[in-house]
Amino acid sequence: MSLKFGTSGLRGLSVDLEGPASALYATAFARHLLAAGIARPGDEVLVGRDLRASSPAISAIAIAALRKAGLAPRDCGVLPTPALALLGLERKAAGLMVTGSHIPADRNGIKFYRPDGEIDKADEAAITAAAQAIRAEGVAFDAAREDAENLHEAAMALYGARNRALLPEGGLAGLRIGVYQHSTVARDLFVSVLAHYGADVVALGRSETFIPVDTEAVSAETVTLLQGWAAQHGLHAIISADGDGDRPLVADETGTPIRGDLVGLVASRFLGARVIATPVTSNSGIEAAVAGKVLRTKVGSPYVIAAMNEAVAAGETAVAGFEANGGTLTATPFTVNGHVLAPLPTRDSLMPVLAVLALLAAGERPLSQVAEGFALPAAASDRLENVPVETSAALMAELRSGAGALSAFLAPIGVPAKTSDVDGLRVTLEDASVIHFRPSGNAPEMRCYVEAADEAAAARLLKAGLQRIREWAVSR
């Protein structure tokens, strides 16, 4: 059983999580909540899931374990992660979301929530320690499965109402928007919310088999689909999300995806945020594109949330954050369209999608030109899949071993001028381009992020960076 916390939640193979492992970690979560005084015996815990084939079984196992541990699980069914989190905040209930987000279908995961939002790194450590203690006690888990009271409709109604209040009535009238439905839990809500605002909605690519869509590194196959649909249906934009609906995907009128950090930037402006927390992997031009303060963090929602919380504790108002995948979080209330938007300190995909579409609707330019108008440095990112964690760790250790090793590795690409080691290794080259190597925190993958003078240069730099990782891995 190989399970660990990544950048957002516990991840592992589905075959492991469909067994006693889910019961073990659900029990460890319950013990932590009770021991820390975060919950009392009999308190509610909300349980949701995505559309992976393994998720119903894992959810049922977790429900049984939570009940056995003295809590009162409530089944929220298939729903977006932000919808589960929002209901938890309203009911002051902890939560557990069974999802592997965007990773391959043979894997899955669990995201944990306290009554006040996502767990942090200290909680992760406490849950891990509780799981180790339970193993040491020799407690046996038989992967029992149970049902629970269903709160799906309540969660979806609350989340739907939040998003139907963001724009004026008819705010998207005149726009023809495609919704790439695939297997995201947000697929039906996207259609209904866009129709509510008057958009002409075209549902596309619905799948009954789980399709992993990484909105931060959109595959060539997905881009081909999007571009074909854009031309076929005469669309102004195409929207989608990852498996659990907390990472947005927005493509322009040509079907070309817009980078997630630009989506997050648009969402922050839409909210009127004065303090923005975002990881080091987000575009370096963001500081110049906003009037407020930008706080740079490590990759992962726990770090973004920690930075937002520090800002709030320091007396800041209008505090938001986003990740490079576009998932947007809020730490304070915002007034939008005359409505007060309560804080939602977890990644959301629907609000940032609506922010981009509202900007599109407000002008007379195609979305590609709207995006170009932000004049951010050209950036690109992708990943190499099936890179063992040990290989990634060895590569990063070598690159950090000294300037000579880094220069030798980058010799076919460029000359290092400056490095940052906040999360992975971010290298500014002598020509001012940037290349950033970082092992994924969620899967056996190596990620590469680049910035360059133009799109063509960024594409060449990204290709060269991925090739160097590949060559190094093969040479071992």
Side-chain angles (χ1 to χ4, degrees):
M1 180 174 63
S2 180
L3 303 176
K4 67 171 188 174
F5 282 98
T7 52
S8 180
L10 186 76
R11 298 288 169 85
L13 293 171
S14 297
V15 292
D16 288 337
L17 283 162
E18 285 181 283
S22 294
L24 170 64
Y25 276 92
T27 302
F29 177 49
R31 283 197 181 184
H32 169 56
L33 293 175
L34 294 168
I38 300 170
R40 296 173 298 178
D43 279 358
E44 284 187 335
V45 180
L46 310 182
V47 180
R49 63 182 185 274
D50 67 13
L51 286 164
R52 291 167 188 265
S54 60
S55 291
I58 297 170
S59 174
I61 292 168
I63 285 171
L66 290 168
R67 181 173 289 121
K68 186 175 180 180
L71 298 174
R74 302 287 185 259
D75 186 7
C76 294
V78 173
L79 80 173
T81 295
L84 180 82
L86 186 65
L87 185 66
L89 290 168
E90 181 176 84
R91 297 174 73 99
K92 296 180 173 55
L96 182 157
M97 179 73 182
V98 178
T99 178
S101 185
H102 62 283
I103 62 178
D106 65 339
R107 297 175 178 274
N108 212 326
I110 301 175
K111 295 180 180 178
F112 300 96
Y113 286 81
R114 300 187 309 241
D116 61 346
E118 281 190 45
I119 64 169
D120 58 23
K121 290 298 179 181
D123 294 314
E124 288 180 5
I127 293 168
T128 300
Q132 292 171 344
I134 293 168
R135 285 197 194 100
E137 293 168 12
V139 176
F141 293 102
D142 58 5
R145 303 180 184 186
E146 290 186 22
D147 296 324
E149 178 186 349
N150 195 296
L151 292 179
H152 173 77
E153 289 187 6
M156 292 302 289
L158 183 66
Y159 185 59
R162 177 186 180 90
N163 287 286
R164 290 185 178 92
L166 292 173
L167 305 181
E169 184 176 349
L172 301 181
L175 295 183
R176 186 170 172 81
I177 308 298
V179 175
Y180 177 27
Q181 292 194 304
H182 63 95
S183 51
T184 176
V185 294
R187 57 191 183 184
D188 295 323
L189 184 64
F190 273 6
V191 171
S192 65
V193 169
L194 295 188
H196 167 78
Y197 288 121
D200 178 9
V201 184
V202 181
L204 303 163
R206 190 182 184 94
S207 174
E208 298 310 314
T209 302
F210 186 81
I211 299 174
V213 174
D214 187 343
T215 65
E216 190 175 355
V218 184
S219 69
E221 295 80 6
T222 300
V223 173
T224 298
L225 283 175
L226 298 174
Q227 292 176 339
W229 287 328
Q232 178 184 353
H233 298 285
L235 303 172
H236 292 98
I238 300 175
I239 67 162
S240 189
D242 64 337
D244 66 319
D246 69 349
R247 299 179 179 208
L249 173 61
V250 182
D252 65 21
E253 74 283 357
T254 71
T256 302
I258 295 174
R259 283 185 55 82
D261 44 17
L262 177 54
V263 174
L265 172 59
V266 172
S268 298
R269 285 185 168 187
F270 173 78
L271 293 170
R274 290 193 287 271
V275 178
I276 301 168
T278 194
V280 293
T281 51
S282 292
N283 196 290
S284 63
I286 287 168
E287 278 80 354
V290 299
K293 184 185 304 182
V294 177
L295 309 174
R296 292 287 181 164
T297 74
K298 290 184 177 181
V299 175
S301 54
Y303 298 110
V304 174
I305 292 168
M308 292 194 304
N309 288 342
E310 289 176 7
V312 172
E316 300 282 5
T317 57
V319 179
F322 61 85
E323 296 195 67
N325 53 51
T328 304
L329 314 86
T330 54
T332 59
F334 287 91
T335 300
V336 181
N337 189 36
H339 298 272
V340 176
L341 197 67
L344 182 55
T346 196
R347 283 193 305 258
D348 188 15
S349 67
L350 188 43
M351 185 275 287
V353 160
L354 291 173
V356 174
L357 295 181
L359 187 62
L360 173 62
E364 298 181 354
R365 297 183 297 165
L367 187 53
S368 59
Q369 292 183 17
V370 173
E372 289 172 359
F374 282 84
L376 295 177
S381 63
D382 204 347
R383 70 201 192 280
L384 285 183
E385 298 180 281
N386 302 314
V387 179
V389 172
E390 297 79 12
T391 301
S392 297
L395 171 58
M396 298 309 297
E398 179 170 324
L399 296 182
R400 291 179 171 120
S401 65
L406 180 61
S407 294
F409 182 82
L410 290 174
I413 298 174
V415 179
K418 184 173 64 175
T419 62
S420 169
D421 205 358
V422 173
D423 193 348
L425 198 62
R426 189 174 182 88
V427 184
T428 302
L429 303 176
E430 282 190 340
D431 65 358
S433 59
V434 175
I435 187 164
H436 186 159
F437 301 105
R438 176 182 163 272
S440 170
N442 294 321
E445 300 172 348
M446 269 296 297
R447 291 185 176 266
C448 182
Y449 313 80
V450 303
E451 292 183 12
D454 54 46
E455 297 292 343
R460 289 193 299 269
L461 183 57
L462 179 61
K463 181 179 180 180
L466 292 172
Q467 182 61 25
R468 285 299 293 129
I469 298 170
R470 190 180 294 110
E471 290 170 351
W472 189 92
V474 169
S475 70
R476 283 183 56 78

